[in-house]
Amino acid sequence: MSDTKLPVVQHQSEIAALAKRYREADSLGMQVLSLIGGHAGNLLERLPDAAKDRLEEATRRALTAALHAAQRSRGVVPDQKHWLNTAVATAMGAAGGSGGLPSALAELPVTVTVLLRSIQGVAADHGFDPSTPEIARECLSVFAAAGPMDEDDDAEMGFLAARVAVTGSTIYSLIARIAPKLSIAMGQKLATQTVPVLGAVAGAATNYAYTSYYQQMAQVHFGLLALSRRTGIPREVLVAELKKEMAKARLTLN
């Protein structure tokens, strides 16, 4: 009897571990908001109208450039340790924030590339090949997460269930769907980097939070995908179990 129960116990413990990663992903973003004395809802209002108007297109271009750069670099530069990706992104955030909005906008595609390479590294850690079209789409879909400064847990959880949007989509149609969502997160990032005096510090802290967040979300995303393939349990069922675990944890904390 114990042999038949063991897989269930292991499966439940893996869901609990993924839920813990999910909860930890948001904490750094909240710390950045505390640093700059802002709220997620009004960050975008700090950007000039001209920047807000071009944000979605800039994000779409950044995603497209990041995809090409990340795929090309995989054959030349091996996946790095996750702490090193975080350190590189943090340094770029400081540089981007030091020059205000112009330098932050120039830094955006480079940061997205580092984030995507980091997500691809997580996929590889779980035994997936990021060079295949299917896993390339899965990597991009991690960017559909709400972002570390979003305060709506229900909206954030939606990216894990977006299987239909990934399966059968071309890379570029997927980018077109993800760009509006990611542009909000990137707009919040740009807004923190333009805070007077704190620009470089806020830029470094923001990039640290963003890299940590998307790496954690990738761990959840590919952890569920690997668990589904290993156990035969549909990913939709595992996502539902993760949501229950998250809800249970919130009740415990409250």
Side-chain angles (χ1 to χ4, degrees):
M1 182 176 290
S2 61
D3 289 342
T4 58
K5 286 185 177 179
L6 183 59
V8 177
V9 172
Q10 184 178 1
H11 154 216
Q12 290 173 342
S13 67
E14 289 188 53
I15 291 292
L18 291 174
K20 183 174 184 290
R21 279 189 178 276
Y22 210 120
R23 292 193 301 273
E24 290 173 348
D26 288 323
S27 61
L28 288 170
M30 296 304 104
Q31 290 175 32
V32 172
L33 287 175
S34 177
L35 169 70
I36 64 172
H39 298 281
N42 63 21
L43 274 178
L44 291 179
E45 297 306 313
R46 299 186 180 195
L47 293 176
D49 289 340
K52 285 186 285 189
D53 292 342
R54 55 189 274 214
L55 190 54
E56 186 175 322
E57 175 62 18
T59 303
R60 188 188 65 76
R61 289 179 181 273
L63 272 173
T64 304
L67 177 66
H68 291 307
Q71 294 288 43
R72 284 197 306 269
S73 67
R74 289 193 64 80
V76 180
V77 181
D79 291 323
Q80 303 299 312
K81 298 290 185 182
H82 299 312
W83 67 265
L84 183 57
N85 288 322
T86 304
V88 170
T90 301
M92 289 191 304
S98 65
L101 184 59
S103 61
L105 279 169
E107 170 249 325
L108 181 62
V110 185
T111 293
V112 174
T113 301
V114 172
L115 292 175
L116 183 56
R117 272 302 307 264
S118 183
I119 292 168
Q120 290 175 341
V122 173
D125 287 346
H126 284 278
F128 300 105
D129 182 359
S131 66
T132 64
E134 178 192 1
I135 301 304
R137 290 193 294 268
E138 295 283 358
C139 289
L140 282 170
S141 71
V142 174
F143 283 124
M149 295 181 192
D150 194 284
E151 297 160 320
D152 186 346
D153 289 339
D154 292 332
E156 187 177 74
M157 290 293 285
F159 92 100
L160 291 171
R163 180 69 178 169
V164 175
V166 174
T167 305
S169 298
T170 67
I171 289 289
Y172 296 106
S173 66
L174 186 58
I175 285 175
R177 282 200 291 271
I178 290 171
K181 182 82 169 181
L182 183 61
S183 69
I184 296 173
M186 291 297 108
Q188 292 169 337
K189 170 181 136 55
L190 292 173
T192 65
Q193 290 177 288
T194 60
V195 175
V197 182
L198 286 177
V201 174
T206 301
N207 271 26
Y208 181 85
Y210 271 62
T211 310
S212 300
Y213 173 85
Y214 285 111
Q215 284 181 159
Q216 291 282 59
M217 287 300 169
Q219 291 284 358
V220 174
H221 183 84
F222 288 105
L224 287 173
L225 186 57
L227 183 59
S228 175
R229 293 191 176 184
R230 193 168 66 251
T231 62
I233 301 171
R235 184 160 65 167
E236 292 76 11
V237 173
L238 296 175
V239 170
E241 291 185 17
L242 180 67
K243 287 182 177 180
K244 287 181 182 177
E245 185 69 29
M246 294 287 293
K248 184 169 66 176
R250 280 197 293 269
L251 285 174
T252 303
L253 289 173
N254 294 334

